[in-house]
Amino acid sequence: MSKYHSLQIHPGRGLGFLVLGASLHDILIRLKAHPPLYPTIDVSYSRTQPLVRPVILNLPRNGFRLRFDGPDQRLRLIEILDFGKTQLSYKNIDLVKLPEEPTTAPASAGYPSQCGPAFRHVYNRLMGPTFPGEYIAPNEAAEPQAAGMYVLSYPGIAFTFPLQHSAWSSSADFVSLLSSSAAAPAKSLAIFNGASWHEAREDLLARPCLHPRSLALSMKGKEHQPDEVELVNVCGSGVLELIRRSSTPFRIVLGETTPQDLVAELGPPDSIYYKNDHRLSIHKPRRREQRPSHGSYGASPARSEDFLDADPSSGHTTTDDSDVDDDADQRDDDQGQSTAKCFYNYFHHGFDVFISYPSNPSLPLPPARSSAHPPATTTAIDRLVATKVLLHGNVPGSYPFNRYRRSRWTIGRETTGASVDLNSETSFGQISHQLRKIWKGNYASDEAERAAQNAIVLDRDWGDSPGSSYEVLEGWDDVEQRRKKDSGSPEGSGSGTTQIFGFPGMLFEVLKNDAICAKTRDESFVTNQLDTSSSFQLLSGSIHMPNPTRKLLSSAWASTIHLPKSSFPPRALPETSYLARCTDDLYDWQRTARKSATPFVLHDGPPFANGPLHLGHAVNKILKDITCRFELSRGKRIQYVPGWDCHGLPIEIKALEKQRSNGSIDPVQIRHAARLLASQAIVEQRDSFRQWGIMAEWDNAWKTMDLDFELRQLDVFKSMVKAGFINRRFKPVHWSPSSRTALAEAELEYREDHRSTAAYVKYPMELHIGGGMILDVHALVWTTTPWTLPANRAIAVHADLDYCIINSPQHGRLLAAASTLEDVFKVAVGEDAWPLKYTIFDNVKGKDLVGQTYHDPVFNVGGSPRPILHAPFVSDSTGTGLVHLAPGHGMEDYELCLQHGISAFAPVDNVGRFTNLALARKPSVLEGKDVLGEGSQAVLKLIRKKGLLVGTHEHTHKYAYDWRTKQPVIQRATEQWFADLGRIQTSALESLNEVQFMPSSGKERLESFIKHRREWCISRQRAWGVPIPALYHRESGKAILTAESVDHIIAVIKDRGTDAWWSDPEDDPRWVAPTLRSEFDPSELRRGRDTMDVWFDSGTSWTQLMKPGVEAICPPADLYLEGTDQHRGWFQSSLLTYIARQLTESDVHDFKAPFKTLITHGFVLDEEGRKMSKSIGNVTSPTEIMTGSRLPLVRGRADAMGPDGLRLWVASSDYTSDIKLTVEALKSTNVALAKYRTLFKFMLGATQDFTGPMVVGKLGLQTNHRIALCQLQHVSDRTFELYQRHEYNKAVSEINRYVARDLSSFYLETVKDCLYLEQGEVRAQAQFTLTVILQGLQAMVGPITPLLVEETWAHSPKYITDNYPHPLRTRWDFQRKYLQQFHDTQLMKDLPAIHGALGAIQKASERARARKHMGSSLDCYVMLQIETTYGEWQTVGDCFDRYLSDLATLFVVSKVNVHVGQPPLHYWKAEWMESESFEVDGVKLRAHVYNPDKAKCPRCWRYLAPVGSGSEDEKALCQRCRAVIQQLPQTHAGP
């Protein structure tokens, strides 16, 4: 791995993540986030002209330098000065091959350059041919021997090559010159925006930037990032117009704009800084009792300076700090008001917004204007609004430098009445001069004016807390004291670092630069604070700029604009009532309201009632809930009764530990303790399930430890006994020494890394071949379980294999398969022993070995010879081709020996230790030794002592482990109860043909488990479980199990409970059936102590769907949905018991599976693809996701995602395979959820005053509404189909695409003009369309985010709640039928042409915006030119003609014309024009964006108003706005 940091060069764009045009603030944050990569960061700037001269960012440890322009602080030039610090590459080709170890020499400020790429490497491999560059001669007077520099330029990149001056000739070919020895490798490299360095350098720092300021907007996922603010236009009357890069402008109206409005338009703040109730008010004296304590300033430790320098991309989500408390009682409390006040910090936009309750204005209005603006009065606190805005100049050397992006602002002359525009580049001297003239007559005296405008000196210290940026609003008394102290000095010049100058509604913080502060202050404007303390009732109430006309400007029409207003919060509040409404209440409603509807039955695979829930549980339960909610939206009645698996070893082990601590291990007490543990776990798990928004019949949940469940389970067992499926045999089973019980296959897990001591063992035999006999031959066997050798009863060979006898000086004559000899002896004896010391004595066919015998001189001394048998499972792929058979320790061995009358023998006890039968002649040698440990070594020692051990080696192989204890298991023959699956198997496999599997591979997986399972060991040697109802004869041990005896025991259990099976006296006759009493005395019988396999418990849970006494078997459930591991577990056991029950019913011939659909999901893994484990420490709980603790911290706190966030993450994941939990996935989920909320808030706010659908159907609707409804109809159908196919992640992708592309980027942009500015039916069209979209989006996200949908209903307009059904109770299929009427084939056919034109217009507008020709998209006209006048041009022309009147709305511009061929000449006389080509069906078109020729309408901002009309009255409005105003009541008609 390279030890260098690697970066890709992108000519004209940037270097790695360093994109040209990015802001200084954004780049510094990225660099500081990686101190190991960028250990040294030096910032250089001009102290005297910080906004004129460029800002230079030096990275000496990385070898490059960045140049930013002063006014906008955007990256303009990247210079590589040392090629030896960073591995640079272009199109994955390295510029320079660096040494393996980076140099340890410290980098100097002079950037001593390492050799760069040679000219030939650049010219031939990297960049290719180019035009000649320019030669820069050296200053020979200063440096006689200096070399000149040749600048070789390409588009967006240039290289500088040193060239000996004596070799330079203007007539020489530059390729030859730079290829010669006179030229050295490149010394530096520059990346810039331009066709060549010669062209770009002239206006490098001033030319338009093609890329955005925000790095986030230049990368993937930019659609989730808020658009950046280009300029803040201070309009007066408390209105600020935020001009954005590509979106429409947004207005902040101080005293009216809410925090929700800010989040909806600007995105969540990067940070929130809370203030107490003490604030600075320059124009209103404070009461002494309001003086704050000095120690109350600053931020909490969590809001550290390091955090402010962290990557803001992780902070663009709201957190609990942004919650707005709307409770009236809380608002009435002073302390509540205090804590609610806060700053919304938008570091990436360059400003802060102060959120508080409105208060009185800070200065009375001028008397001349009192008629237009009556004095404000104190009103009741209404809600939190924006009352102040701080615009940060980010001047180099200032305190907040690098904390914010530079914010550029302007106060137009039309607002101030001044002779010039005032902006962020204007010197403060000019600003002060103009504002003093404006406010000259608004003070009582000259002294009052001087007192208000006298500078306040503040100390700014880099060690201050981040809060000190805002403390200009705090500590008025302390600041006032400093003012008095410094009043004797001119301009209040004290020892502070900045000064505050105040005007009514405005503050300017001005930087002081050492001794020459008086000269430099004019060039050092830092912060502009717009302050309103007015009554909430006033329209503007803040910055009232006097104007000779005494007329209000564009803000005067604010009362005629319908801005969306909704109580819907921008983020979810901890409101528990929504959870209950969308879960328990909804389930109860549908049980009653849809009593006769078609049921949808989801049968729950019961979770184990043991311990806390994990993410696997969340995935499982949420997928089930999404399915149920979707089926509910189709009009079905949901039947989902959850259950719990309560029996089993893990709970019993906990109970045992508890009982041992109490000094008792009585089975009854163990059962009581286990029942209590399970009950407690169920309560905890149920509460968690409910917190995830799971809708189910929780109060009627079934549990496998309930008596009713156990009785139904025993009834299934009885039917299997009656049919002869249950039998008892002494045979090998998987036995867990750690659990001391038999295990079923489903209770095993296999590890690939198990290590065993494998052994080669020889057995003496007399080989009879062809009538002759070969003496002293030894059969060589290989085993990985030497501990089974005491139970050896035979040896197996394959009749078709070839065997041979080898002479070995050390081991004599050995018999083994011919193909295995080399591998065998290399392992057993050593690499050097083969082949020199072995010779082949004879060859033998495998069939000739069958029937031969051998002796066991260790464990069968003096015993009869043992046979050699043919076995089809023997092969020569491993071992020796001879297999030792121990029928008591292997199933294949058992079955083969059973065919030859050889009985099983297993001298191992319950805990995995040898019994005294292992070596009967000397029991003490092996007795009590662990077979998997010292017992195995003891066996090898005995064999070695007899000279029968040929060799041993360590062998790694697959081995079975107990899935609960994680310890290895053994195979051991014991008396166990088995279910014979032979007759069940065929019917079970056939029934799967009618089942729908998701994914389809699930069928093959389930079939494979069933095919390879002939029987099922159902007995367990534990106390906590359902008893196997068998009786045993005390003397003979004979088991008694008949349908009659089981039926009788079931009746007793029904009366006394299952605990009585253990607690009743041993000789209690009530457990003996009357039919047995004639044959046995009850005292001769005892009750068994085995319990049923827990898979038999849960496998019979389908009985919970039966109606007792009515059905012998229930109909199949509509759905089983569990993890993929249940193919070998619950799916299989449910299928087998269900088929077995059908086989016992004589009238059943068409066998069904218990499920119609079977869905399986994968496991949840960590980010590295590892299984989550407590020992690794990579476990994440569902609660961590809901609380947001897995997300990057925002201002030191987690951003809670809530239940909907957890659910959306599950739905977004492809559950058909294992799911990786990544931070990126959680962040994307959080962004998507925030986007849903923003859209819902907008639609709810826009429809608050909607009184009914004035239009129905598509006729009469404007084109943008028709498009929106067409798109909604399409996405609704598509999403519905994906839900039907259970492809929820694809459904989420479809919804997110629709939200981002069709709604946010298109329709909502086009509808705002109509929605905000129109009246009557025209506006009602927009509201009607949004109402339909609102319901459509609620239907699509309802199954996944039910709490969000429930919350939207709680905040829905009255018309909607009165006339439409609840979105979670409505039928989506009905809604889809309703949407069919909006489908428009012609419109959908034309839509690609509209989108193509829009894309071209946006590209051309972007270039115009970069050149400062325009800001908002409304600042232009558009002409669509059809260049192709043949082929399909007429069709394309007709397309645009059809929608000509609506094109300006669709493109969000002021005006659109369409021309075929060459347009009229007057278009080319525009002041500016940008063009972009595009094609539609092969027809070439060009979109021209150019300057408007009309005035800007102050109400709608479209350039359609008469030129020269001024702004005094309605004459300044466009024709449309005048018509609307005239329709309004006089009280709302503006000035």
Side-chain angles (χ1 to χ4, degrees), residues 708 712 715 1103 1106-1113 1141:
D708 177 73
R712 296 187 186 212
D715 188 65
T1103 59
M1106 292 170 43
K1107 298 176 182 177
V1110 178
E1111 299 172 315
I1113 192 166
R1141 183 58 173 258

Side-chain angles (χ1 to χ4, degrees), residues 86 128 190 257 348 389 453 456 461 507 580 637 703 930 988 1002 1066 1070 1096 1114 1129 1182 1283 1289 1326 1430 1439:
T86 303
T257 300
H348 62 293
V389 177
Q453 296 173 357
I456 305 170
D461 186 357
L507 289 177
R637 173 173 51 83
K703 300 175 281 294
D930 179 13
E1066 283 282 330
R1070 284 177 294 184
F1096 197 94
C1114 62
Y1283 271 114
N1289 63 315
Y1430 55 86
C1439 167

Side-chain angles (χ1 to χ4, degrees), residues 1261-1266 1310 1440-1452 1456:
L1261 288 174
Q1262 289 183 354
T1263 304
N1264 60 330
H1265 307 322
R1266 292 165 55 201
T1310 69
F1440 288 113
D1441 285 343
R1442 271 191 289 273
Y1443 314 109
L1444 185 60
S1445 61
D1446 290 335
L1447 288 181
T1449 298
L1450 295 177
F1451 301 151
V1452 198
V1456 177

Side-chain angles (χ1 to χ4, degrees), residues 74-271:
R74 302 181 74 174
L75 180 60
R76 302 294 188 156
L77 178 65
I78 302 173
E79 300 171 275
I80 308 299
L81 303 177
D82 189 340
F83 292 92
K85 302 297 185 183
T86 303
Q87 183 64 69
L88 303 173
S89 58
Y90 173 66
K91 293 184 177 179
N92 296 321
I93 301 176
D94 292 341
L95 264 69
V96 177
K97 185 176 182 181
L98 299 178
E100 293 185 3
E101 292 293 332
T103 178
T104 56
S108 67
Y111 282 77
S113 177
Q114 299 288 326
C115 288
F119 168 75
R120 288 187 176 277
H121 183 59
V122 173
Y123 195 82
N124 296 332
R125 295 195 61 197
L126 292 174
M127 311 304 300
T130 186
F131 294 102
E134 63 176 316
Y135 177 71
I136 303 173
N139 185 349
E140 293 185 287
E143 298 180 68
Q145 302 300 322
M149 291 293 172
Y150 191 93
V151 181
L152 184 68
S153 183
Y154 293 87
I157 190 170
F159 296 84
T160 302
F161 293 94
L163 179 66
Q164 294 177 11
H165 184 56
S166 59
W168 165 248
S169 171
S170 59
S171 60
D173 175 52
F174 79 95
V175 176
S176 301
L177 278 175
L178 297 180
S179 300
S180 69
S181 59
K187 185 177 182 179
S188 62
L189 178 154
I191 302 172
F192 54 88
N193 174 25
S196 69
W197 175 249
H198 179 74
E199 173 191 313
R201 67 184 178 186
E202 298 299 329
D203 60 347
L204 182 68
L205 300 179
R207 63 171 41 205
C209 293
L210 298 179
H211 306 295
R213 293 177 179 83
S214 171
L215 291 174
L217 289 172
S218 302
M219 302 175 182
K220 294 181 179 179
K222 59 184 179 182
E223 64 273 8
H224 299 305
Q225 301 294 333
D227 197 6
E228 61 189 18
V229 176
E230 291 275 344
L231 183 70
V232 179
N233 183 16
V234 183
C235 301
S237 300
V239 178
L240 293 91
E241 181 184 30
L242 274 58
I243 307 300
R244 293 183 280 192
R245 183 169 179 267
S246 55
S247 305
T248 56
F250 167 58
R251 287 183 175 183
I252 296 178
V253 181
L254 298 178
E256 292 188 14
T257 300
T258 65
Q260 293 89 338
D261 297 330
L262 295 174
V263 173
E265 293 288 344
L266 303 176
D270 299 307
S271 178

Side-chain angles (χ1 to χ4, degrees), residues 1229-1250:
T1229 298
N1230 205 25
V1231 168
L1233 191 59
K1235 190 68 173 178
Y1236 296 168
R1237 295 194 67 87
T1238 301
L1239 287 175
F1240 279 130
K1241 177 177 176 58
F1242 176 84
M1243 291 187 285
L1244 291 171
T1247 56
Q1248 281 296 323
D1249 58 345
F1250 186 43

Side-chain angles (χ1 to χ4, degrees), residues 229-429:
V229 176
E230 291 275 344
L231 183 70
V232 179
N233 183 16
V234 183
C235 301
S237 300
V239 178
L240 293 91
E241 181 184 30
L242 274 58
I243 307 300
R244 293 183 280 192
R245 183 169 179 267
S246 55
S247 305
T248 56
F250 167 58
R251 287 183 175 183
I252 296 178
V253 181
L254 298 178
E256 292 188 14
T257 300
T258 65
Q260 293 89 338
D261 297 330
L262 295 174
V263 173
E265 293 288 344
L266 303 176
D270 299 307
S271 178
I272 297 180
Y273 179 76
Y274 281 90
K275 305 294 289 181
N276 58 28
D277 197 36
H278 305 292
R279 69 177 189 275
L280 173 65
S281 180
I282 288 184
H283 302 290
K284 183 176 69 174
R286 295 190 61 86
R287 296 193 304 271
R288 284 291 174 183
E289 60 269 19
Q290 291 179 317
R291 178 179 300 175
S293 63
H294 184 70
S296 65
Y297 304 153
S300 65
R303 300 181 175 88
S304 65
E305 184 171 323
D306 291 338
F307 169 72
L308 290 178
D309 287 335
D311 188 349
S313 63
S314 66
H316 291 178
T317 53
T318 54
T319 73
D320 294 336
D321 287 345
S322 63
D323 294 341
V324 179
D325 189 355
D326 292 325
D327 187 86
D329 294 335
Q330 178 71 12
R331 294 201 305 263
D332 290 338
D333 181 75
D334 290 340
Q335 184 63 29
Q337 296 177 28
S338 172
T339 57
K341 297 178 181 181
C342 62
F343 278 95
Y344 273 24
N345 310 131
Y346 286 99
F347 303 132
H348 62 293
H349 287 316
F351 54 78
D352 304 317
V353 183
F354 186 58
I355 306 299
S356 67
Y357 295 106
S359 57
N360 291 332
S362 58
L363 181 70
L365 297 172
R369 305 185 62 185
S370 59
S371 59
H373 298 278
T377 58
T378 304
T379 60
I381 295 174
D382 183 73
R383 58 177 176 172
L384 290 167
V385 292
T387 56
K388 298 177 179 68
V389 177
L390 278 78
L391 306 177
H392 292 275
N394 198 35
V395 175
S398 64
Y399 169 75
F401 179 57
N402 300 340
R403 293 182 182 276
Y404 293 82
R405 197 204 85 194
R406 174 164 172 74
S407 178
R408 304 184 77 178
W409 53 269
T410 182
I411 308 176
R413 68 188 74 180
E414 70 275 7
T415 300
T416 62
S419 58
V420 295
D421 291 337
L422 305 178
N423 58 49
S424 48
E425 278 70 61
T426 306
S427 67
F428 181 70

Side-chain angles (χ1 to χ4, degrees), residues 752-802:
E752 303 285 347
D753 59 348
H754 183 79
R755 293 181 64 83
S756 300
T757 299
Y760 289 92
V761 180
K762 61 181 183 179
Y763 287 97
M765 62 180 297
E766 296 175 353
L767 186 58
H768 299 269
I769 301 294
M773 182 173 65
I774 303 176
L775 301 176
D776 299 328
V777 177
H778 291 80
L780 185 64
V781 301
W782 176 75
T783 179
T784 59
T785 54
W787 61 269
T788 62
L789 292 173
N792 173 267
R793 289 297 181 267
I795 290 177
V797 297
H798 198 290
D800 296 334
L801 290 180
D802 292 326

Side-chain angles (χ1 to χ4, degrees), residues 442-515:
N442 292 280
Y443 295 99
S445 63
D446 292 343
E447 183 179 351
E449 178 185 1
R450 286 193 299 271
Q453 296 173 357
N454 187 25
I456 305 170
V457 179
L458 290 183
D459 288 321
R460 291 295 204 210
D461 186 357
W462 288 99
D464 288 349
S465 71
S468 63
S469 291
Y470 323 119
E471 285 166 11
V472 64
L473 301 180
E474 288 277 10
W476 165 244
D477 297 316
D478 291 342
V479 173
E480 189 174 22
Q481 294 298 323
R482 290 203 299 272
R483 171 192 281 176
K484 292 178 179 179
K485 179 179 178 180
D486 298 330
S487 60
S489 302
E491 301 291 348
S493 57
S495 59
T497 57
T498 65
Q499 294 173 294
I500 301 295
F501 295 87
F503 294 91
M506 306 182 75
L507 289 177
F508 294 91
E509 183 180 355
V510 180
L511 183 68
K512 292 180 63 177
N513 283 345
D514 302 328

